[in-house]
Amino acid sequence: MDEVEALVFDVFGTVVDWRSSVAAELQALGKEHGVSSDTDWVKFVNQWRMGYITNTRRIAEGGSGPLNVDILHKETLEGMLDSPEWSHVGRAWDAQVRESINLAWHRLNGWPDTVEGLQALKRLKIISTLSNGNVRLLVDMAKHAKLPWDMIFSTELFGTFKPSPKAYLSACHHLSLPPAKCAMVAAHIYDLRAAAAQGMRTIYVRRPNEDEEALSTMGGIVKSKADGGEFDIVVNSFLELAEILGKSK
Amino acid sequence: MDEVEALVFDVFGTVVDWRSSVAAELQALGKEHGVSSDTDWVKFVNQWRMGYITNTRRIAEGGSGPLNVDILHKETLEGMLDSPEWSHVGRAWDAQVRESINLAWHRLNGWPDTVEGLQALKRLKIISTLSNGNVRLLVDMAKHAKLPWDMIFSTELFGTFKPSPKAYLSACHHLSLPPAKCAMVAAHIYDLRAAAAQGMRTIYVRRPNEDEEALSTMGGIVKSKADGGEFDIVVNSFLELAEILGKSK
């Protein structure tokens, strides 16, 4: 890993805990507008997130649709609020409230190790995002959650979404580095496999309830190459990663 | 200016003092390699910079050439070292030395007010670059000079150079803001005029020996609209700008 000059981070789930951040905002807004306290807001946010995942992957494969995640989130939200399952929420929230809650994705909080971990990693390497989130979303989130990025790459800048190869290659190109000198950091195996296919190094970070694909296809057991697995490094936190990279330097 | 949510900064000359930073590196390297101490390194760096300006403007107008400033700087440098005027330097510097000095543009220092000024402005607005410098150059410079950007826009990301309209409009688009809510901050009238033509607000910062165009066409007297001039705000430093914007908030 000594050769690696830049760490390129997935954001949703890897750096920030979208589920609890958005669920907390939904719950507060539900209470404010008299939505039944039985409402399952974690289910709501999981469904919202699933709409995002389905659509970004479809568009990454060449399907049509917006390349801006604010717009994608809004379309998914409106569809949900029109559905029978969430119509009681839809009745309570007018256009202005919907605009406001859509921006909850700009106000996500880091995992407990995120800020301190990124600060330590920034002293060792270039640290950049590579996220499907749009630029403004990532800028607002960095200010909100105090994320000390050296660079913010949004796939919107490259006219695509991950896991399209173009997303990974564009980030390396603009860092003036061959892919072998860039490591992708993510909590999702699909993202790391797509990065590895372009020659990037891979760092898997375990995050709670984040990688359903690893759970369903590998029993949730993700291993490093040293342990017979497929990724260069596997860690439980950014602080653990900083310790490993600091030693190898 | 209350409506303005983002400050978009020109970098070379506005944020960093390229002339003295590069001249100091040239002089040290000249001494190390036995180049005559009579060599006029400020003239050398001015000529190098002029090659960059001529080429970026030509390419912004649709001419052919590289969109990466590292490559442009290198081409200009090689041309100079082949010329009779600088052949004594060319003879002293091999390929490796030329690669190394070309990266002096990644190691520029801020003006005395830069870091403190940007920190104050970051508390009030989104602060981003909009520079013709390539991404890696701007990332290295931010780490070197401790520039606390919220976002780094390089025109290389947009496939053009300033003063092409596309450069300004792309920055506003990715900030999810109409141009009227973005202010261009620059020490050069050509840059602010191009930004204003796209509807952006304009902030002129006076920097020593930086704006030859203002000197030759306006006697160097640049005024704000309130004083009968053409720009929204005219200041002598980023700290003065932070004071003005902090009050109007």
Side-chain angles (χ1 to χ4, degrees), chain A residues 5 122 125-126 134-136 139-140 143 150-153 156-158 173-177, chain B residues 5 70 122 125-126 134-136 139-140 143 150-153 156-158 173-177:
Chain A
E5 291 183 36
K122 185 175 176 145
K125 312 279 184 188
I126 292 170
N134 48 305
V135 169
R136 179 60 186 268
V139 167
D140 285 345
K143 282 179 106 78
D150 290 314
M151 180 65 204
I152 289 180
F153 287 126
E156 192 197 15
L157 290 164
F158 310 138
H173 167 77
H174 285 289
L175 292 169
S176 303
L177 290 173
Chain B
E5 293 182 36
D70 281 341
K122 185 175 176 146
K125 312 279 184 187
I126 291 170
N134 47 304
V135 168
R136 178 60 186 268
V139 167
D140 285 345
K143 281 179 106 78
D150 290 315
M151 180 63 204
I152 289 180
F153 286 125
E156 192 197 15
L157 290 164
F158 311 139
H173 167 78
H174 285 290
L175 292 169
S176 303
L177 290 172

mmCIF file of all heavy atoms in Angstrom, chain A residues 5 122 125-126 134-136 139-140 143 150-153 156-158 173-177, chain B residues 5 70 122 125-126 134-136 139-140 143 150-153 156-158 173-177:
data_model
loop_
_atom_site.group_PDB
_atom_site.id
_atom_site.type_symbol
_atom_site.label_atom_id
_atom_site.label_comp_id
_atom_site.label_asym_id
_atom_site.label_seq_id
_atom_site.Cartn_x
_atom_site.Cartn_y
_atom_site.Cartn_z
ATOM 1 N N GLU A 5 -1.192 6.652 -3.434
ATOM 2 C CA GLU A 5 -1.100 8.078 -3.092
ATOM 3 C C GLU A 5 -2.461 8.682 -2.734
ATOM 4 O O GLU A 5 -2.525 9.746 -2.127
ATOM 5 C CB GLU A 5 -0.487 8.866 -4.267
ATOM 6 C CG GLU A 5 0.984 8.541 -4.496
ATOM 7 C CD GLU A 5 1.596 9.397 -5.612
ATOM 8 O OE1 GLU A 5 1.231 10.586 -5.743
ATOM 9 O OE2 GLU A 5 2.431 8.855 -6.372
ATOM 10 N N LYS A 122 -5.902 11.830 6.150
ATOM 11 C CA LYS A 122 -5.513 12.998 5.355
ATOM 12 C C LYS A 122 -4.043 13.358 5.551
ATOM 13 O O LYS A 122 -3.416 13.951 4.683
ATOM 14 C CB LYS A 122 -6.413 14.184 5.743
ATOM 15 C CG LYS A 122 -6.212 15.442 4.918
ATOM 16 C CD LYS A 122 -7.221 16.524 5.291
ATOM 17 C CE LYS A 122 -6.942 17.798 4.543
ATOM 18 N NZ LYS A 122 -8.156 18.536 4.171
ATOM 19 N N LYS A 125 -2.320 10.472 3.070
ATOM 20 C CA LYS A 125 -2.640 10.340 1.649
ATOM 21 C C LYS A 125 -3.564 11.480 1.217
ATOM 22 O O LYS A 125 -4.096 12.199 2.060
ATOM 23 C CB LYS A 125 -3.392 9.014 1.402
ATOM 24 C CG LYS A 125 -2.791 7.766 2.020
ATOM 25 C CD LYS A 125 -1.660 7.203 1.204
ATOM 26 C CE LYS A 125 -1.137 5.888 1.792
ATOM 27 N NZ LYS A 125 0.069 5.413 1.124
ATOM 28 N N ILE A 126 -3.798 11.588 -0.088
ATOM 29 C CA ILE A 126 -4.901 12.418 -0.583
ATOM 30 C C ILE A 126 -6.192 11.671 -0.264
ATOM 31 O O ILE A 126 -6.292 10.467 -0.523
ATOM 32 C CB ILE A 126 -4.781 12.630 -2.109
ATOM 33 C CG1 ILE A 126 -3.562 13.502 -2.433
ATOM 34 C CG2 ILE A 126 -6.057 13.229 -2.688
ATOM 35 C CD1 ILE A 126 -3.224 13.569 -3.918
ATOM 36 N N ASN A 134 -24.710 14.100 -5.847
ATOM 37 C CA ASN A 134 -24.334 15.271 -6.644
ATOM 38 C C ASN A 134 -23.393 16.178 -5.851
ATOM 39 O O ASN A 134 -23.260 16.054 -4.633
ATOM 40 C CB ASN A 134 -25.574 16.044 -7.143
ATOM 41 C CG ASN A 134 -26.607 16.305 -6.070
ATOM 42 O OD1 ASN A 134 -27.068 15.367 -5.421
ATOM 43 N ND2 ASN A 134 -26.959 17.550 -5.857
ATOM 44 N N VAL A 135 -22.722 17.086 -6.556
ATOM 45 C CA VAL A 135 -21.690 17.925 -5.936
ATOM 46 C C VAL A 135 -22.247 18.705 -4.747
ATOM 47 O O VAL A 135 -21.676 18.695 -3.658
ATOM 48 C CB VAL A 135 -21.070 18.901 -6.970
ATOM 49 C CG1 VAL A 135 -20.213 19.950 -6.274
ATOM 50 C CG2 VAL A 135 -20.242 18.127 -7.994
ATOM 51 N N ARG A 136 -23.380 19.384 -4.929
ATOM 52 C CA ARG A 136 -23.908 20.223 -3.859
ATOM 53 C C ARG A 136 -24.265 19.398 -2.632
ATOM 54 O O ARG A 136 -24.044 19.826 -1.495
ATOM 55 C CB ARG A 136 -25.126 21.019 -4.361
ATOM 56 C CG ARG A 136 -25.771 21.914 -3.302
ATOM 57 C CD ARG A 136 -24.783 22.971 -2.758
ATOM 58 N NE ARG A 136 -25.326 23.733 -1.667
ATOM 59 C CZ ARG A 136 -25.983 24.892 -1.800
ATOM 60 N NH1 ARG A 136 -26.153 25.426 -3.005
ATOM 61 N NH2 ARG A 136 -26.445 25.524 -0.754
ATOM 62 N N VAL A 139 -20.994 18.660 -0.902
ATOM 63 C CA VAL A 139 -20.436 19.873 -0.291
ATOM 64 C C VAL A 139 -21.199 20.204 0.996
ATOM 65 O O VAL A 139 -20.597 20.466 2.048
ATOM 66 C CB VAL A 139 -20.491 21.062 -1.279
ATOM 67 C CG1 VAL A 139 -20.217 22.385 -0.568
ATOM 68 C CG2 VAL A 139 -19.491 20.852 -2.418
ATOM 69 N N ASP A 140 -22.526 20.172 0.923
ATOM 70 C CA ASP A 140 -23.335 20.452 2.127
ATOM 71 C C ASP A 140 -23.038 19.433 3.229
ATOM 72 O O ASP A 140 -22.912 19.787 4.406
ATOM 73 C CB ASP A 140 -24.830 20.395 1.785
ATOM 74 C CG ASP A 140 -25.306 21.620 1.016
ATOM 75 O OD1 ASP A 140 -24.585 22.630 0.981
ATOM 76 O OD2 ASP A 140 -26.416 21.560 0.441
ATOM 77 N N LYS A 143 -19.730 20.081 4.977
ATOM 78 C CA LYS A 143 -19.825 21.197 5.935
ATOM 79 C C LYS A 143 -20.592 20.741 7.180
ATOM 80 O O LYS A 143 -20.190 21.040 8.308
ATOM 81 C CB LYS A 143 -20.518 22.406 5.283
ATOM 82 C CG LYS A 143 -19.592 23.217 4.349
ATOM 83 C CD LYS A 143 -20.303 24.395 3.702
ATOM 84 C CE LYS A 143 -19.929 25.758 4.267
ATOM 85 N NZ LYS A 143 -18.638 26.295 3.814
ATOM 86 N N ASP A 150 -9.879 16.362 0.760
ATOM 87 C CA ASP A 150 -8.955 17.085 -0.118
ATOM 88 C C ASP A 150 -9.616 17.371 -1.458
ATOM 89 O O ASP A 150 -9.295 18.353 -2.130
ATOM 90 C CB ASP A 150 -7.693 16.246 -0.366
ATOM 91 C CG ASP A 150 -6.813 16.128 0.870
ATOM 92 O OD1 ASP A 150 -6.590 17.168 1.520
ATOM 93 O OD2 ASP A 150 -6.363 15.009 1.186
ATOM 94 N N MET A 151 -10.537 16.485 -1.858
ATOM 95 C CA MET A 151 -11.209 16.636 -3.154
ATOM 96 C C MET A 151 -12.573 15.976 -3.062
ATOM 97 O O MET A 151 -12.732 14.989 -2.341
ATOM 98 C CB MET A 151 -10.363 15.968 -4.260
ATOM 99 C CG MET A 151 -10.948 16.053 -5.664
ATOM 100 S SD MET A 151 -11.023 17.794 -6.244
ATOM 101 C CE MET A 151 -12.327 17.689 -7.478
ATOM 102 N N ILE A 152 -13.534 16.544 -3.771
ATOM 103 C CA ILE A 152 -14.859 15.929 -3.866
ATOM 104 C C ILE A 152 -15.107 15.559 -5.318
ATOM 105 O O ILE A 152 -15.241 16.443 -6.178
ATOM 106 C CB ILE A 152 -15.949 16.891 -3.329
ATOM 107 C CG1 ILE A 152 -15.822 17.017 -1.805
ATOM 108 C CG2 ILE A 152 -17.343 16.407 -3.741
ATOM 109 C CD1 ILE A 152 -16.833 17.948 -1.141
ATOM 110 N N PHE A 153 -15.111 14.264 -5.601
ATOM 111 C CA PHE A 153 -15.543 13.799 -6.921
ATOM 112 C C PHE A 153 -16.964 13.265 -6.799
ATOM 113 O O PHE A 153 -17.236 12.388 -5.977
ATOM 114 C CB PHE A 153 -14.665 12.654 -7.449
ATOM 115 C CG PHE A 153 -13.298 13.063 -7.905
ATOM 116 C CD1 PHE A 153 -12.170 12.444 -7.384
ATOM 117 C CD2 PHE A 153 -13.128 14.037 -8.894
ATOM 118 C CE1 PHE A 153 -10.891 12.797 -7.817
ATOM 119 C CE2 PHE A 153 -11.859 14.397 -9.321
ATOM 120 C CZ PHE A 153 -10.738 13.778 -8.784
ATOM 121 N N GLU A 156 -21.532 12.721 -11.032
ATOM 122 C CA GLU A 156 -22.256 13.683 -11.880
ATOM 123 C C GLU A 156 -21.264 14.494 -12.729
ATOM 124 O O GLU A 156 -21.583 14.888 -13.845
ATOM 125 C CB GLU A 156 -23.074 14.625 -10.973
ATOM 126 C CG GLU A 156 -24.091 15.492 -11.710
ATOM 127 C CD GLU A 156 -24.573 16.673 -10.868
ATOM 128 O OE1 GLU A 156 -23.944 17.005 -9.844
ATOM 129 O OE2 GLU A 156 -25.595 17.270 -11.263
ATOM 130 N N LEU A 157 -20.073 14.753 -12.183
ATOM 131 C CA LEU A 157 -19.044 15.489 -12.940
ATOM 132 C C LEU A 157 -18.586 14.699 -14.158
ATOM 133 O O LEU A 157 -18.073 15.274 -15.128
ATOM 134 C CB LEU A 157 -17.823 15.773 -12.049
ATOM 135 C CG LEU A 157 -17.993 16.798 -10.924
ATOM 136 C CD1 LEU A 157 -16.859 16.675 -9.915
ATOM 137 C CD2 LEU A 157 -18.043 18.215 -11.497
ATOM 138 N N PHE A 158 -18.736 13.366 -14.099
ATOM 139 C CA PHE A 158 -18.245 12.513 -15.166
ATOM 140 C C PHE A 158 -19.382 11.997 -16.054
ATOM 141 O O PHE A 158 -19.167 11.157 -16.929
ATOM 142 C CB PHE A 158 -17.464 11.326 -14.581
ATOM 143 C CG PHE A 158 -16.405 11.720 -13.575
ATOM 144 C CD1 PHE A 158 -16.221 11.000 -12.408
ATOM 145 C CD2 PHE A 158 -15.594 12.833 -13.796
ATOM 146 C CE1 PHE A 158 -15.252 11.359 -11.476
ATOM 147 C CE2 PHE A 158 -14.616 13.213 -12.871
ATOM 148 C CZ PHE A 158 -14.452 12.477 -11.712
ATOM 149 N N HIS A 173 -7.798 9.541 -13.333
ATOM 150 C CA HIS A 173 -7.266 10.473 -14.335
ATOM 151 C C HIS A 173 -7.074 11.872 -13.744
ATOM 152 O O HIS A 173 -6.026 12.504 -13.927
ATOM 153 C CB HIS A 173 -8.199 10.534 -15.540
ATOM 154 C CG HIS A 173 -7.905 11.661 -16.474
ATOM 155 N ND1 HIS A 173 -6.855 11.630 -17.369
ATOM 156 C CD2 HIS A 173 -8.473 12.886 -16.629
ATOM 157 C CE1 HIS A 173 -6.807 12.768 -18.037
ATOM 158 N NE2 HIS A 173 -7.778 13.548 -17.608
ATOM 159 N N HIS A 174 -8.092 12.373 -13.046
ATOM 160 C CA HIS A 174 -8.006 13.735 -12.519
ATOM 161 C C HIS A 174 -7.062 13.841 -11.319
ATOM 162 O O HIS A 174 -6.637 14.945 -10.971
ATOM 163 C CB HIS A 174 -9.400 14.282 -12.193
ATOM 164 C CG HIS A 174 -10.164 14.663 -13.424
ATOM 165 N ND1 HIS A 174 -9.832 15.756 -14.172
ATOM 166 C CD2 HIS A 174 -11.192 14.071 -14.061
ATOM 167 C CE1 HIS A 174 -10.649 15.853 -15.216
ATOM 168 N NE2 HIS A 174 -11.476 14.830 -15.173
ATOM 169 N N LEU A 175 -6.749 12.727 -10.689
ATOM 170 C CA LEU A 175 -5.719 12.739 -9.639
ATOM 171 C C LEU A 175 -4.327 12.560 -10.236
ATOM 172 O O LEU A 175 -3.324 12.501 -9.513
ATOM 173 C CB LEU A 175 -6.001 11.639 -8.604
ATOM 174 C CG LEU A 175 -7.254 11.864 -7.747
ATOM 175 C CD1 LEU A 175 -7.596 10.616 -6.952
ATOM 176 C CD2 LEU A 175 -7.065 13.063 -6.813
ATOM 177 N N SER A 176 -4.253 12.473 -11.570
ATOM 178 C CA SER A 176 -2.981 12.266 -12.287
ATOM 179 C C SER A 176 -2.258 11.017 -11.777
ATOM 180 O O SER A 176 -1.043 11.026 -11.588
ATOM 181 C CB SER A 176 -2.058 13.491 -12.167
ATOM 182 O OG SER A 176 -2.700 14.654 -12.659
ATOM 183 N N LEU A 177 -3.024 9.964 -11.521
ATOM 184 C CA LEU A 177 -2.454 8.723 -10.991
ATOM 185 C C LEU A 177 -2.935 7.523 -11.804
ATOM 186 O O LEU A 177 -4.102 7.500 -12.220
ATOM 187 C CB LEU A 177 -2.888 8.517 -9.538
ATOM 188 C CG LEU A 177 -2.317 9.459 -8.481
ATOM 189 C CD1 LEU A 177 -2.989 9.210 -7.134
ATOM 190 C CD2 LEU A 177 -0.802 9.280 -8.355
ATOM 191 N N GLU B 5 -24.774 32.464 -2.128
ATOM 192 C CA GLU B 5 -24.513 31.297 -1.276
ATOM 193 C C GLU B 5 -23.110 30.726 -1.470
ATOM 194 O O GLU B 5 -22.621 29.994 -0.620
ATOM 195 C CB GLU B 5 -25.545 30.193 -1.546
ATOM 196 C CG GLU B 5 -26.961 30.559 -1.110
ATOM 197 C CD GLU B 5 -27.956 29.428 -1.334
ATOM 198 O OE1 GLU B 5 -27.597 28.259 -1.169
ATOM 199 O OE2 GLU B 5 -29.106 29.740 -1.709
ATOM 200 N N ASP B 70 -0.568 21.000 -16.232
ATOM 201 C CA ASP B 70 0.771 20.416 -16.062
ATOM 202 C C ASP B 70 1.437 20.214 -17.426
ATOM 203 O O ASP B 70 2.634 20.485 -17.590
ATOM 204 C CB ASP B 70 0.697 19.053 -15.360
ATOM 205 C CG ASP B 70 0.507 19.191 -13.849
ATOM 206 O OD1 ASP B 70 0.782 20.279 -13.308
ATOM 207 O OD2 ASP B 70 0.077 18.201 -13.233
ATOM 208 N N LYS B 122 -15.260 30.846 4.786
ATOM 209 C CA LYS B 122 -15.869 29.504 4.814
ATOM 210 C C LYS B 122 -16.974 29.410 5.857
ATOM 211 O O LYS B 122 -17.891 28.606 5.732
ATOM 212 C CB LYS B 122 -14.767 28.479 5.092
ATOM 213 C CG LYS B 122 -15.222 27.028 5.044
ATOM 214 C CD LYS B 122 -14.039 26.071 5.212
ATOM 215 C CE LYS B 122 -14.538 24.637 5.266
ATOM 216 N NZ LYS B 122 -13.591 23.694 4.655
ATOM 217 N N LYS B 125 -20.044 31.314 3.746
ATOM 218 C CA LYS B 125 -20.525 30.856 2.440
ATOM 219 C C LYS B 125 -19.835 29.546 2.077
ATOM 220 O O LYS B 125 -18.859 29.151 2.720
ATOM 221 C CB LYS B 125 -20.162 31.889 1.353
ATOM 222 C CG LYS B 125 -20.476 33.344 1.663
ATOM 223 C CD LYS B 125 -21.928 33.677 1.408
ATOM 224 C CE LYS B 125 -22.189 35.176 1.634
ATOM 225 N NZ LYS B 125 -23.629 35.477 1.553
ATOM 226 N N ILE B 126 -20.276 28.929 0.983
ATOM 227 C CA ILE B 126 -19.515 27.853 0.351
ATOM 228 C C ILE B 126 -18.331 28.515 -0.353
ATOM 229 O O ILE B 126 -18.512 29.512 -1.066
ATOM 230 C CB ILE B 126 -20.378 27.090 -0.673
ATOM 231 C CG1 ILE B 126 -21.480 26.292 0.032
ATOM 232 C CG2 ILE B 126 -19.524 26.181 -1.558
ATOM 233 C CD1 ILE B 126 -22.520 25.711 -0.908
ATOM 234 N N ASN B 134 -5.185 22.103 -13.250
ATOM 235 C CA ASN B 134 -5.792 20.774 -13.218
ATOM 236 C C ASN B 134 -6.083 20.343 -11.781
ATOM 237 O O ASN B 134 -5.576 20.942 -10.824
ATOM 238 C CB ASN B 134 -4.912 19.734 -13.942
ATOM 239 C CG ASN B 134 -3.451 19.802 -13.562
ATOM 240 O OD1 ASN B 134 -2.840 20.852 -13.689
ATOM 241 N ND2 ASN B 134 -2.895 18.710 -13.086
ATOM 242 N N VAL B 135 -6.920 19.314 -11.632
ATOM 243 C CA VAL B 135 -7.378 18.899 -10.303
ATOM 244 C C VAL B 135 -6.207 18.574 -9.386
ATOM 245 O O VAL B 135 -6.131 19.070 -8.257
ATOM 246 C CB VAL B 135 -8.329 17.680 -10.408
ATOM 247 C CG1 VAL B 135 -8.582 17.068 -9.034
ATOM 248 C CG2 VAL B 135 -9.649 18.086 -11.065
ATOM 249 N N ARG B 136 -5.282 17.753 -9.857
ATOM 250 C CA ARG B 136 -4.191 17.323 -8.980
ATOM 251 C C ARG B 136 -3.334 18.503 -8.537
ATOM 252 O O ARG B 136 -2.892 18.577 -7.387
ATOM 253 C CB ARG B 136 -3.317 16.268 -9.682
ATOM 254 C CG ARG B 136 -2.122 15.780 -8.881
ATOM 255 C CD ARG B 136 -2.565 15.134 -7.548
ATOM 256 N NE ARG B 136 -1.432 14.789 -6.708
ATOM 257 C CZ ARG B 136 -0.822 13.604 -6.704
ATOM 258 N NH1 ARG B 136 -1.250 12.631 -7.505
ATOM 259 N NH2 ARG B 136 0.196 13.368 -5.913
ATOM 260 N N VAL B 139 -5.303 20.217 -5.804
ATOM 261 C CA VAL B 139 -5.320 19.400 -4.580
ATOM 262 C C VAL B 139 -3.974 19.500 -3.860
ATOM 263 O O VAL B 139 -3.917 19.728 -2.646
ATOM 264 C CB VAL B 139 -5.656 17.923 -4.916
ATOM 265 C CG1 VAL B 139 -5.374 17.001 -3.730
ATOM 266 C CG2 VAL B 139 -7.114 17.784 -5.357
ATOM 267 N N ASP B 140 -2.886 19.356 -4.613
ATOM 268 C CA ASP B 140 -1.552 19.470 -4.005
ATOM 269 C C ASP B 140 -1.345 20.857 -3.395
ATOM 270 O O ASP B 140 -0.810 21.000 -2.297
ATOM 271 C CB ASP B 140 -0.458 19.223 -5.061
ATOM 272 C CG ASP B 140 -0.310 17.752 -5.427
ATOM 273 O OD1 ASP B 140 -0.833 16.893 -4.690
ATOM 274 O OD2 ASP B 140 0.322 17.462 -6.456
ATOM 275 N N LYS B 143 -3.198 21.294 -0.100
ATOM 276 C CA LYS B 143 -2.502 20.619 1.011
ATOM 277 C C LYS B 143 -1.261 21.426 1.401
ATOM 278 O O LYS B 143 -0.989 21.614 2.590
ATOM 279 C CB LYS B 143 -2.116 19.185 0.604
ATOM 280 C CG LYS B 143 -3.281 18.187 0.683
ATOM 281 C CD LYS B 143 -2.890 16.780 0.264
ATOM 282 C CE LYS B 143 -2.748 15.793 1.414
ATOM 283 N NZ LYS B 143 -4.006 15.265 1.955
ATOM 284 N N ASP B 150 -14.147 24.194 0.321
ATOM 285 C CA ASP B 150 -15.305 23.296 0.397
ATOM 286 C C ASP B 150 -15.394 22.447 -0.869
ATOM 287 O O ASP B 150 -15.908 21.329 -0.849
ATOM 288 C CB ASP B 150 -16.608 24.115 0.538
ATOM 289 C CG ASP B 150 -16.720 24.773 1.890
ATOM 290 O OD1 ASP B 150 -16.447 24.099 2.896
ATOM 291 O OD2 ASP B 150 -17.078 25.971 1.941
ATOM 292 N N MET B 151 -14.916 23.018 -1.981
ATOM 293 C CA MET B 151 -15.008 22.302 -3.268
ATOM 294 C C MET B 151 -13.875 22.795 -4.157
ATOM 295 O O MET B 151 -13.473 23.961 -4.071
ATOM 296 C CB MET B 151 -16.357 22.592 -3.928
ATOM 297 C CG MET B 151 -16.583 21.900 -5.266
ATOM 298 S SD MET B 151 -16.594 20.065 -5.104
ATOM 299 C CE MET B 151 -16.151 19.566 -6.765
ATOM 300 N N ILE B 152 -13.345 21.897 -4.967
ATOM 301 C CA ILE B 152 -12.337 22.269 -5.954
ATOM 302 C C ILE B 152 -12.908 22.026 -7.337
ATOM 303 O O ILE B 152 -13.144 20.879 -7.738
ATOM 304 C CB ILE B 152 -11.036 21.458 -5.740
ATOM 305 C CG1 ILE B 152 -10.338 21.947 -4.454
ATOM 306 C CG2 ILE B 152 -10.106 21.595 -6.950
ATOM 307 C CD1 ILE B 152 -9.037 21.228 -4.117
ATOM 308 N N PHE B 153 -13.201 23.118 -8.058
ATOM 309 C CA PHE B 153 -13.563 22.992 -9.472
ATOM 310 C C PHE B 153 -12.354 23.367 -10.308
ATOM 311 O O PHE B 153 -11.792 24.466 -10.155
ATOM 312 C CB PHE B 153 -14.705 23.939 -9.859
ATOM 313 C CG PHE B 153 -16.057 23.536 -9.353
ATOM 314 C CD1 PHE B 153 -16.816 24.434 -8.601
ATOM 315 C CD2 PHE B 153 -16.608 22.299 -9.652
ATOM 316 C CE1 PHE B 153 -18.084 24.088 -8.142
ATOM 317 C CE2 PHE B 153 -17.869 21.941 -9.189
ATOM 318 C CZ PHE B 153 -18.611 22.839 -8.433
ATOM 319 N N GLU B 156 -10.706 21.749 -16.124
ATOM 320 C CA GLU B 156 -10.421 20.466 -16.774
ATOM 321 C C GLU B 156 -11.603 19.505 -16.614
ATOM 322 O O GLU B 156 -11.870 18.689 -17.496
ATOM 323 C CB GLU B 156 -9.152 19.857 -16.146
ATOM 324 C CG GLU B 156 -8.581 18.675 -16.901
ATOM 325 C CD GLU B 156 -7.589 17.848 -16.073
ATOM 326 O OE1 GLU B 156 -7.558 18.020 -14.836
ATOM 327 O OE2 GLU B 156 -6.867 17.045 -16.669
ATOM 328 N N LEU B 157 -12.316 19.617 -15.475
ATOM 329 C CA LEU B 157 -13.498 18.771 -15.256
ATOM 330 C C LEU B 157 -14.600 19.080 -16.262
ATOM 331 O O LEU B 157 -15.467 18.250 -16.524
ATOM 332 C CB LEU B 157 -14.048 18.983 -13.839
ATOM 333 C CG LEU B 157 -13.217 18.446 -12.669
ATOM 334 C CD1 LEU B 157 -13.682 19.059 -11.349
ATOM 335 C CD2 LEU B 157 -13.318 16.923 -12.597
ATOM 336 N N PHE B 158 -14.583 20.297 -16.787
ATOM 337 C CA PHE B 158 -15.650 20.729 -17.688
ATOM 338 C C PHE B 158 -15.206 20.744 -19.152
ATOM 339 O O PHE B 158 -15.931 21.222 -20.036
ATOM 340 C CB PHE B 158 -16.162 22.124 -17.289
ATOM 341 C CG PHE B 158 -16.490 22.258 -15.817
ATOM 342 C CD1 PHE B 158 -16.147 23.404 -15.098
ATOM 343 C CD2 PHE B 158 -17.159 21.239 -15.142
ATOM 344 C CE1 PHE B 158 -16.441 23.526 -13.735
ATOM 345 C CE2 PHE B 158 -17.464 21.355 -13.787
ATOM 346 C CZ PHE B 158 -17.100 22.497 -13.091
ATOM 347 N N HIS B 173 -23.921 25.315 -12.027
ATOM 348 C CA HIS B 173 -24.788 24.147 -12.169
ATOM 349 C C HIS B 173 -24.494 23.103 -11.086
ATOM 350 O O HIS B 173 -25.419 22.580 -10.442
ATOM 351 C CB HIS B 173 -24.607 23.532 -13.561
ATOM 352 C CG HIS B 173 -25.214 22.172 -13.701
ATOM 353 N ND1 HIS B 173 -26.572 21.982 -13.868
ATOM 354 C CD2 HIS B 173 -24.661 20.933 -13.654
ATOM 355 C CE1 HIS B 173 -26.820 20.682 -13.937
ATOM 356 N NE2 HIS B 173 -25.692 20.027 -13.806
ATOM 357 N N HIS B 174 -23.209 22.804 -10.878
ATOM 358 C CA HIS B 174 -22.863 21.756 -9.917
ATOM 359 C C HIS B 174 -23.038 22.220 -8.471
ATOM 360 O O HIS B 174 -23.098 21.395 -7.561
ATOM 361 C CB HIS B 174 -21.457 21.227 -10.184
ATOM 362 C CG HIS B 174 -21.400 20.323 -11.384
ATOM 363 N ND1 HIS B 174 -21.961 19.069 -11.381
ATOM 364 C CD2 HIS B 174 -20.916 20.503 -12.633
ATOM 365 C CE1 HIS B 174 -21.790 18.498 -12.567
ATOM 366 N NE2 HIS B 174 -21.167 19.357 -13.344
ATOM 367 N N LEU B 175 -23.107 23.514 -8.244
ATOM 368 C CA LEU B 175 -23.441 24.017 -6.906
ATOM 369 C C LEU B 175 -24.960 24.108 -6.722
ATOM 370 O O LEU B 175 -25.432 24.570 -5.687
ATOM 371 C CB LEU B 175 -22.788 25.386 -6.674
ATOM 372 C CG LEU B 175 -21.259 25.368 -6.568
ATOM 373 C CD1 LEU B 175 -20.690 26.788 -6.605
ATOM 374 C CD2 LEU B 175 -20.813 24.648 -5.295
ATOM 375 N N SER B 176 -25.716 23.685 -7.737
ATOM 376 C CA SER B 176 -27.191 23.745 -7.716
ATOM 377 C C SER B 176 -27.677 25.163 -7.428
ATOM 378 O O SER B 176 -28.634 25.348 -6.673
ATOM 379 C CB SER B 176 -27.767 22.765 -6.676
ATOM 380 O OG SER B 176 -27.349 21.447 -6.930
ATOM 381 N N LEU B 177 -27.012 26.146 -8.023
ATOM 382 C CA LEU B 177 -27.364 27.551 -7.793
ATOM 383 C C LEU B 177 -27.494 28.287 -9.127
ATOM 384 O O LEU B 177 -26.728 28.017 -10.061
ATOM 385 C CB LEU B 177 -26.271 28.253 -6.978
ATOM 386 C CG LEU B 177 -26.115 27.850 -5.510
ATOM 387 C CD1 LEU B 177 -24.863 28.494 -4.924
ATOM 388 C CD2 LEU B 177 -27.348 28.235 -4.695
#
